[in-house]
Amino acid sequence: MNSFIFGLTHFRLIGVMKKNILNFLLLLALSTAGLNSVAFGQNGPEVTGHSYWGFDLGLTGTAYEGNKNFLWHLVDPNEIDPNTGVQTSINTYMPYNSLGSGLGFVIGGKIAFPLSNSLDIEGKLRYLTNYTSSSESHMLTLATDPTTNQVTDQSNSSNTYTLLLSNLSLSALLNFRLSGAWYAIGGLEFSNLLSNSLGANQTLTTSGESYYFAGTPDKTASNILNRPAASISDRFVTTRGAIQIGAGTGFDLPSSSMLDLELLFSIPLTQWLNGDAQTNLNATAAGYFQPAITYPNLWYASFTVGIRFPFGGNEGASA
């Protein structure tokens, strides 16, 4: 039941994450900073200058930024018009001022080699999810006059969606020791989309209103369209490139191993939706006489707890 779609992107660095998700991850990072200051003062473990391998586990916070006049196309293709007996469909659109935000998870492995006492090169291979959801109310155009293009029927509507993307991410990063147990992180990320799950629900909330059968003046008996969460194909860009920046800190553990905590921001270099999705959504917006769409991009932050196991016994040359 129902198929639907959405939009692409131009990106901005300011306002990248929704405040609730970003504040949550920053609170974790600041709590870590406080613990590390108490434990080590101005000194700390040697967080760079060693070869190591290890694992990361943590949370992602995701938001879609750059959206303006965004909408999704929602279709119920299996309807019979009782006035004609012909199989037809119900079409609608779901407008959003914001696509919201949400929490996912990340797990993966890493390996690093020292370039000097204060600089490491690190590779990360991670599985991660990006989850978002939002609920908004909007005035919806149900019908227009084909001669004058004037709106002839409208209804208030309640719109809810959820989106879950899973990705395999590969990053090449430099870790530069700042002071004490702190280090800065910067590099590039490339990820491949493994799966998606999209769900949408729209309810007409104006009393007595219902949808029209597509291309007819005949009204249906339905005021609800629901798309259960399921995969949709050929809509998302499957390969994502991004710049990663952030910071981390470390805690010495027994047997020369180390616990680290990292906060990373992933700043997109590529689009979220492909050209077919944009073409479909542009046509939907035009068909309902809606403003032109400016498409969002996927931004996310990750906060991880990691463990490092040294190997090789080699330290980088002095910086």
Side-chain angles (χ1 to χ4, degrees):
M1 172 177 173
N2 308 351
S3 75
F4 79 124
I5 354 195
F6 9 157
L8 119 108
T9 157
H10 238 98
F11 71 85
R12 297 170 295 170
L13 182 56
I14 296 184
V16 49
M17 286 313 206
K18 298 297 178 187
K19 288 183 179 179
N20 56 336
I21 298 299
L22 183 56
N23 287 345
F24 176 77
L25 295 175
L26 288 177
L27 178 61
L28 291 177
L30 291 174
S31 300
T32 299
L35 289 173
N36 224 5
S37 296
V38 170
F40 298 111
Q42 294 300 314
N43 299 314
E46 296 182 3
V47 291
T48 59
H50 298 274
S51 300
Y52 62 84
W53 64 276
F55 303 99
D56 289 327
L57 177 66
L59 299 173
T60 62
T62 301
Y64 293 93
E65 293 296 329
N67 164 47
K68 187 176 181 181
N69 305 318
F70 186 77
L71 56 80
W72 288 353
H73 185 197
L74 188 60
V75 179
D76 181 355
N78 300 311
E79 296 289 335
I80 302 295
D81 186 344
N83 297 294
T84 63
V86 175
Q87 181 170 335
T88 182
S89 63
I90 300 174
N91 290 291
T92 187
Y93 65 100
M94 300 178 65
Y96 278 91
N97 295 323
S98 168
L99 288 173
S101 58
L103 290 174
F105 78 94
V106 56
I107 186 171
K110 57 190 177 184
I111 188 168
F113 301 93
L115 301 178
S116 72
N117 287 337
S118 59
L119 184 66
D120 294 340
I121 184 169
E122 182 185 59
K124 291 182 184 288
L125 181 64
R126 310 196 296 179
Y127 173 84
L128 60 92
T129 62
N130 300 112
Y131 176 81
T132 54
S133 65
S134 183
S135 296
E136 293 185 2
S137 297
H138 289 273
M139 181 62 71
L140 198 70
T141 295
L142 297 177
T144 58
D145 187 308
T147 302
T148 65
N149 292 333
Q150 297 299 307
V151 175
T152 58
D153 200 357
Q154 291 181 302
S155 174
N156 288 312
S157 65
S158 173
N159 306 277
T160 300
Y161 94 97
T162 62
L163 172 60
L164 177 65
L165 305 177
S166 65
N167 307 273
L168 186 65
S169 168
L170 178 64
S171 299
L173 304 169
L174 293 175
N175 299 334
F176 178 72
R177 185 171 185 178
L178 299 172
S179 63
W182 289 93
Y183 55 97
I185 308 169
L188 295 175
E189 175 194 19
F190 298 94
S191 61
N192 186 64
L193 181 65
L194 301 177
S195 66
N196 67 76
S197 180
L198 305 158
N201 178 278
Q202 183 180 79
T203 301
L204 303 182
T205 55
T206 298
S207 178
E209 284 292 358
S210 61
Y211 296 104
Y212 288 80
F213 292 106
T216 78
D218 302 328
K219 276 208 165 188
T220 72
S222 175
N223 70 333
I224 297 175
L225 279 185
N226 182 61
R227 182 189 194 277
S231 177
I232 189 169
S233 61
D234 301 325
R235 297 302 175 187
F236 301 103
V237 173
T238 56
T239 301
R240 179 178 182 271
I243 297 171
Q244 287 196 328
I245 58 173
T249 188
F251 302 84
D252 280 330
L253 295 175
S255 303
S256 300
S257 58
M258 179 178 290
L259 184 74
D260 66 43
L261 296 99
E262 295 181 344
L263 179 64
L264 280 173
F265 295 91
S266 181
I267 303 168
L269 297 175
T270 53
Q271 300 174 357
W272 172 46
L273 299 182
N274 64 29
D276 288 343
Q278 296 172 41
T279 298
N280 182 283
L281 286 181
N282 289 337
T284 300
Y288 287 100
F289 306 102
Q290 298 301 300
I293 301 171
T294 299
Y295 292 99
N297 268 338
L298 188 161
W299 301 68
Y300 79 88
S302 64
F303 182 82
T304 56
V305 179
I307 188 167
R308 302 179 182 184
F309 301 100
F311 70 90
N314 294 324
E315 186 172 296
S318 297

